[in-house]
Amino acid sequence: MKNRREYIVRKAMELYALEGYYNVSITDLQNALEIGRGTLYYYFKDQEELFMTCMEQYILEPKQHALNSVNNDVTVEQMIHTMLKYLGCLEEALMTFDNKRINTSHVNNLMFAAYSLFPTLHRKAQRLALKEVDLWRKAIYNSQRLGIIKHGIDVDQIALMFAHIKNSYDNGLGRAQMNFQLLEQTYYALYNLLKNE
């Protein structure tokens, strides 16, 4: 039963990512999943619950897990590693989809739609975003205390910069998908600017 539920969530996430929440009906889900309406409602009370489960499982829970793994004595380098691991999980999840056209642009568009449609999801995403900024701030302070990075910097502003790196890729540059290698380079470029010589 658990495998059937996981299959439904994965296939539904694929469909939502490709078509958008508004463009997917229960009939579309049934056809994509090749199951009856009764089977779908056995696992989920309605389409809203299925959609929220998709967003939780693929977007919010991996980030929550990554942020919860961070210790109080985290350094900037450890925080970079944590965020790259989280982004790697997103990349791996995309690779499990049968439709290989789905990329991070689809997922980002879906996230924005989800947060505007469902205040509960938006509040959870906001809490995670605030937690991430707080952890970057803590990492900067810890790295300063250890003499790894400079003092006299605007810690709050730098924490925001680190938190926004993964959101800053520009589709106008011709990339339909996050460039994970470029993201890693950007994290370390900012980190190297802050390091003591």
Side-chain angles (χ1 to χ4, degrees), residues 109-154:
N109 291 338
L110 190 61
M111 284 167 48
F112 289 125
Y115 299 155
S116 65
L117 289 169
F118 300 102
T120 303
L121 289 174
H122 188 222
R123 285 191 295 273
K124 286 181 181 180
Q126 282 182 317
R127 283 195 299 270
L128 288 174
L130 291 171
K131 182 173 184 174
E132 182 185 346
V133 172
D134 284 341
L135 289 172
W136 280 114
R137 193 179 291 115
K138 186 178 291 188
I140 293 165
Y141 282 128
N142 288 338
S143 295
Q144 284 178 323
R145 186 176 44 78
L146 294 169
I148 299 169
I149 64 173
K150 302 170 187 172
H151 289 270
I153 59 172
D154 186 335

Side-chain angles (χ1 to χ4, degrees), residues 136 140 149 153-163 190 194:
W136 280 114
I140 293 165
I149 64 173
I153 59 172
D154 186 335
V155 173
D156 291 333
Q157 189 63 40
I158 298 296
L160 284 171
M161 290 171 72
F162 271 117
L190 179 55
L194 300 172

Side-chain angles (χ1 to χ4, degrees), residues 27-111:
T27 303
D28 294 329
L29 289 165
Q30 283 179 253
N31 291 338
L33 293 162
E34 298 178 350
I35 60 173
R37 193 170 292 228
T39 303
L40 192 58
Y41 286 135
Y42 174 79
Y43 291 99
F44 300 95
K45 69 178 182 180
D46 54 26
Q47 185 173 355
E48 183 176 308
E49 182 184 19
L50 173 57
F51 180 72
M52 290 185 73
T53 300
C54 290
M55 297 307 295
E56 294 261 2
Q57 184 172 316
Y58 280 93
I59 307 300
L60 298 176
E61 288 174 10
K63 186 171 184 180
Q64 178 78 62
H65 179 72
L67 297 180
N68 285 347
S69 72
V70 175
N71 296 320
N72 281 332
D73 59 352
V74 65
T75 64
V76 169
E77 191 160 14
Q78 290 166 342
M79 191 65 188
I80 290 171
H81 177 74
T82 297
M83 296 315 296
L84 290 173
K85 187 174 177 184
Y86 158 64
L87 292 168
C89 288
L90 173 59
E91 186 176 32
E92 286 174 19
L94 293 174
M95 299 311 243
T96 67
F97 292 154
D98 295 330
N99 190 319
K100 301 306 178 191
R101 291 184 301 136
I102 299 172
N103 59 47
T104 52
S105 292
H106 293 105
V107 174
N108 277 344
N109 291 338
L110 190 61
M111 284 167 48

